[in-house]
Amino acid sequence: MIRLDATRLRGHAGALADLLTGTVHAGASVGFLAPLGRAEALAWWEERAADVAAGRLAVWAVPDGDRVLGTVSLAFPAKANSRHRAELVKLMVHPDARGRGLGRRLLATAEDAAAAAGITLLHLDTETDSPAERLYRSAGWTPVGAIPDYAARPDGVLRPTTLYYKRLPATAPTR
Protein backbone atom coordinates (compact mmCIF):
# COMPACT_ATOMS: atom_id res chain seq x y z
CA MET A 1 0.00 0.00 0.00
CA ILE A 2 1.35 3.40 -0.92
CA ARG A 3 0.34 6.96 -0.20
CA LEU A 4 -0.01 8.84 -3.46
CA ASP A 5 1.41 12.32 -3.85
CA ALA A 6 0.08 14.34 -6.80
CA THR A 7 2.70 12.95 -9.20
CA ARG A 8 2.06 9.35 -8.20
CA LEU A 9 -1.68 9.90 -8.40
CA ARG A 10 -1.33 11.10 -11.99
CA GLY A 11 0.92 8.13 -12.72
CA HIS A 12 -1.68 5.69 -11.37
CA ALA A 13 -4.71 7.61 -12.74
CA GLY A 14 -5.47 5.05 -15.43
CA ALA A 15 -5.43 2.14 -13.00
CA LEU A 16 -7.46 4.17 -10.49
CA ALA A 17 -9.98 4.95 -13.24
CA ASP A 18 -10.29 1.23 -14.00
CA LEU A 19 -10.85 0.53 -10.29
CA LEU A 20 -13.54 3.21 -10.12
CA THR A 21 -15.38 2.00 -13.23
CA GLY A 22 -15.18 -1.63 -12.05
CA THR A 23 -16.49 -0.69 -8.63
CA VAL A 24 -19.40 1.28 -10.08
CA HIS A 25 -20.26 -1.43 -12.61
CA ALA A 26 -20.29 -3.96 -9.73
CA GLY A 27 -23.03 -1.85 -8.09
CA ALA A 28 -21.16 0.08 -5.40
CA SER A 29 -22.63 3.45 -4.55
CA VAL A 30 -19.56 5.71 -4.63
CA GLY A 31 -21.08 8.80 -6.23
CA PHE A 32 -21.36 7.79 -9.88
CA LEU A 33 -24.08 6.43 -12.14
CA ALA A 34 -23.63 3.53 -14.56
CA PRO A 35 -22.49 3.26 -17.14
CA LEU A 36 -19.39 5.14 -16.02
CA GLY A 37 -16.97 5.64 -18.88
CA ARG A 38 -13.23 5.33 -18.41
CA ALA A 39 -12.66 8.91 -19.69
CA GLU A 40 -15.01 10.33 -17.03
CA ALA A 41 -13.38 8.22 -14.29
CA LEU A 42 -9.90 9.22 -15.48
CA ALA A 43 -10.82 12.91 -15.47
CA TRP A 44 -12.26 12.59 -11.97
CA TRP A 45 -9.04 11.08 -10.61
CA GLU A 46 -6.83 13.59 -12.42
CA GLU A 47 -8.86 16.42 -10.84
CA ARG A 48 -8.01 15.00 -7.39
CA ALA A 49 -4.27 15.67 -7.95
CA ALA A 50 -4.69 19.39 -7.14
CA ASP A 51 -6.36 18.56 -3.81
CA VAL A 52 -3.59 16.08 -2.99
CA ALA A 53 -0.91 18.65 -3.84
CA ALA A 54 -2.65 21.26 -1.65
CA GLY A 55 -2.95 18.87 1.31
CA ARG A 56 -6.76 18.84 1.19
CA LEU A 57 -6.85 15.14 0.27
CA ALA A 58 -4.72 12.14 1.17
CA VAL A 59 -4.99 9.06 -1.07
CA TRP A 60 -3.68 5.53 -0.55
CA ALA A 61 -3.67 2.82 -3.18
CA VAL A 62 -2.83 -0.86 -3.40
CA PRO A 63 -1.07 -1.33 -6.73
CA ASP A 64 -0.80 -4.81 -8.22
CA GLY A 65 1.21 -4.71 -11.42
CA ASP A 66 -0.67 -2.46 -13.83
CA ARG A 67 -3.86 -2.56 -11.69
CA VAL A 68 -4.94 -0.92 -8.46
CA LEU A 69 -6.80 -3.35 -6.20
CA GLY A 70 -8.05 -0.78 -3.72
CA THR A 71 -7.97 2.80 -2.55
CA VAL A 72 -9.09 5.01 0.30
CA SER A 73 -8.90 8.76 0.85
CA LEU A 74 -9.17 11.30 3.64
CA ALA A 75 -10.62 14.73 2.88
CA PHE A 76 -9.45 17.49 5.21
CA PRO A 77 -11.69 20.54 5.76
CA ALA A 78 -10.16 23.98 5.26
CA LYS A 79 -12.12 25.77 7.99
CA ALA A 80 -10.20 26.59 11.16
CA ASN A 81 -12.90 25.13 13.40
CA SER A 82 -12.79 21.80 11.55
CA ARG A 83 -9.10 20.94 11.53
CA HIS A 84 -9.58 18.22 14.15
CA ARG A 85 -11.67 16.09 11.79
CA ALA A 86 -11.56 14.50 8.35
CA GLU A 87 -13.94 12.65 6.09
CA LEU A 88 -13.18 9.12 4.96
CA VAL A 89 -14.05 8.96 1.26
CA LYS A 90 -13.91 6.57 -1.69
CA LEU A 91 -12.91 3.36 0.04
CA MET A 92 -13.02 0.99 -2.93
CA VAL A 93 -11.86 -2.58 -3.41
CA HIS A 94 -11.73 -4.11 -6.89
CA PRO A 95 -14.50 -6.72 -7.27
CA ASP A 96 -11.86 -9.41 -7.97
CA ALA A 97 -10.04 -8.63 -4.69
CA ARG A 98 -13.00 -8.58 -2.28
CA GLY A 99 -13.26 -10.91 0.68
CA ARG A 100 -9.52 -10.93 1.47
CA GLY A 101 -9.39 -8.22 4.15
CA LEU A 102 -8.17 -5.47 1.83
CA GLY A 103 -11.01 -3.10 2.76
CA ARG A 104 -10.17 -3.53 6.45
CA ARG A 105 -6.45 -2.85 5.75
CA LEU A 106 -7.31 0.28 3.76
CA LEU A 107 -9.58 1.50 6.54
CA ALA A 108 -6.92 0.88 9.20
CA THR A 109 -4.31 2.71 7.11
CA ALA A 110 -6.54 5.78 6.82
CA GLU A 111 -7.42 5.71 10.52
CA ASP A 112 -3.76 5.38 11.56
CA ALA A 113 -2.67 8.19 9.24
CA ALA A 114 -5.48 10.44 10.51
CA ALA A 115 -4.45 9.85 14.13
CA ALA A 116 -0.80 10.55 13.25
CA ALA A 117 -1.92 13.85 11.66
CA GLY A 118 -3.69 14.89 14.87
CA ILE A 119 -7.18 14.12 13.62
CA THR A 120 -9.44 13.11 16.50
CA LEU A 121 -12.73 12.61 14.65
CA LEU A 122 -13.49 10.85 11.38
CA HIS A 123 -16.83 10.74 9.61
CA LEU A 124 -18.27 9.11 6.51
CA ASP A 125 -21.48 8.20 4.78
CA THR A 126 -22.30 4.92 3.08
CA GLU A 127 -25.27 3.19 1.54
CA THR A 128 -27.49 1.67 4.22
CA ASP A 129 -27.33 -2.16 4.36
CA SER A 130 -24.34 -2.30 2.01
CA PRO A 131 -21.28 -4.54 2.52
CA ALA A 132 -19.34 -1.35 3.34
CA GLU A 133 -21.69 -0.65 6.22
CA ARG A 134 -20.91 -4.04 7.74
CA LEU A 135 -17.18 -3.25 7.48
CA TYR A 136 -17.53 0.10 9.26
CA ARG A 137 -19.67 -1.32 12.07
CA SER A 138 -17.23 -4.18 12.65
CA ALA A 139 -14.32 -1.68 12.76
CA GLY A 140 -15.90 0.28 15.60
CA TRP A 141 -17.57 3.12 13.70
CA THR A 142 -20.70 4.54 15.32
CA PRO A 143 -23.84 5.06 13.22
CA VAL A 144 -25.51 8.44 13.67
CA GLY A 145 -28.60 7.83 11.59
CA ALA A 146 -29.89 7.27 8.10
CA ILE A 147 -31.13 9.77 5.54
CA PRO A 148 -33.78 8.33 3.21
CA ASP A 149 -33.31 8.63 -0.56
CA TYR A 150 -29.96 10.37 -0.07
CA ALA A 151 -28.04 9.06 -3.06
CA ALA A 152 -28.69 7.09 -6.20
CA ARG A 153 -27.05 3.72 -6.68
CA PRO A 154 -25.25 3.25 -10.01
CA ASP A 155 -28.55 2.00 -11.49
CA GLY A 156 -30.27 5.28 -10.50
CA VAL A 157 -32.39 3.88 -7.67
CA LEU A 158 -32.47 6.20 -4.65
CA ARG A 159 -31.24 4.58 -1.45
CA PRO A 160 -30.83 5.63 2.16
CA THR A 161 -27.39 6.58 3.43
CA THR A 162 -26.13 6.00 6.94
CA LEU A 163 -23.79 8.51 8.55
CA TYR A 164 -20.96 7.25 10.78
CA TYR A 165 -18.25 8.69 12.98
CA LYS A 166 -15.23 7.35 14.81
CA ARG A 167 -13.23 9.05 17.54
CA LEU A 168 -9.47 8.63 17.38
CA PRO A 169 -6.92 8.98 20.18
CA ALA A 170 -5.64 12.55 20.55
CA THR A 171 -2.04 13.01 19.46
CA ALA A 172 0.02 16.05 18.63
CA PRO A 173 -1.16 17.51 15.32
CA THR A 174 1.31 17.28 12.47
CA ARG A 175 -0.66 18.75 9.60
Side-chain angles (χ1 to χ4, degrees):
M1 187 169 321
I2 58 173
R3 183 167 175 174
L4 302 178
D5 60 20
T7 301
R8 277 184 161 168
L9 189 146
R10 287 184 192 100
H12 287 282
L16 289 163
D18 292 340
L19 171 64
L20 179 56
T21 57
T23 301
V24 169
H25 293 158
S29 180
V30 291
F32 297 88
L33 297 176
L36 175 63
R38 188 173 193 274
E40 181 183 353
L42 182 61
W44 186 85
W45 275 110
E46 288 174 343
E47 290 169 5
R48 306 285 76 77
D51 289 334
V52 169
R56 293 184 298 266
L57 184 70
V59 179
W60 291 266
V62 180
D64 180 41
D66 60 349
R67 299 186 325 156
V68 170
L69 297 180
T71 187
V72 66
S73 300
L74 289 174
F76 302 102
K79 295 178 183 173
N81 72 341
S82 304
R83 295 207 174 120
H84 65 289
R85 64 179 164 88
E87 181 178 9
L88 187 104
V89 294
K90 300 294 183 272
L91 190 147
M92 294 181 275
V93 174
H94 193 283
D96 295 344
R98 292 184 183 157
R100 298 185 219 160
L102 185 55
R104 187 166 303 282
R105 284 190 7 235
L106 286 160
L107 183 58
T109 295
E111 290 175 1
D112 291 348
I119 300 298
T120 58
L121 181 67
L122 290 174
H123 64 96
L124 63 84
D125 67 81
T126 193
E127 181 182 351
T128 304
D129 296 327
S130 68
E133 188 174 32
R134 288 188 294 279
L135 169 65
Y136 300 130
R137 284 181 187 262
S138 71
W141 287 69
T142 302
V144 176
I147 303 171
D149 298 338
Y150 184 79
R153 290 183 42 84
D155 62 7
V157 174
L158 292 177
R159 294 281 298 136
T161 293
T162 302
L163 306 175
Y164 284 85
Y165 73 90
K166 187 170 188 177
R167 292 191 182 276
L168 302 176
T171 59
T174 58
R175 74 174 194 109

